[in-house]
Amino acid sequence: MPIPGAVDTRRKWLRVMPTALLALGAAGTAWVLSRLDPFVGNSALPPCPLHALTGLYCPGCGSTRCLYALLHGDVWLALAMNPLLVVSLPLLGLMSLNAAGWRPAWSTPLMRQLARPGLWLWLLLGYGVLRNLPWSPFNLLAPG
């Protein structure tokens, strides 16, 4: 027979665990990017496999350099590397806090929209296509 308060505690931890793991991953990423510079030649950080094989930019291309620039306070450089990531990071943080149980009333309509997988699918696919177009203004979406 389960202990009366144990089930609620377990549910609470299961709800908070993804946010805690995300925070741990963010801390690990910040630690690595504080020691390695992705802008130097022969960096220990791996390049994008899709770009290395095809020459095309995926939606994540430039993310490492974007996060490095954000970590070092250079928002303009981060926007040049991956503007979608810069815009999405606060939204992803809100979604993570929402998943952990922090649900202020003002965020409910926004969370309903952000929780739609189709939104993210079309956004990422569209962004991946647009950033590979060679003419202005779409060439501004390519990293660098």
Side-chain angles (χ1 to χ4, degrees), residues 22 84 122:
L22 184 65
L84 182 62
W122 287 109

Side-chain angles (χ1 to χ4, degrees), residues 87-96 110-111 114 120:
V87 172
S88 297
L89 280 175
L91 298 174
L92 294 172
L94 272 175
M95 291 171 64
S96 178
L110 178 63
M111 287 304 121
L114 293 176
W120 292 99

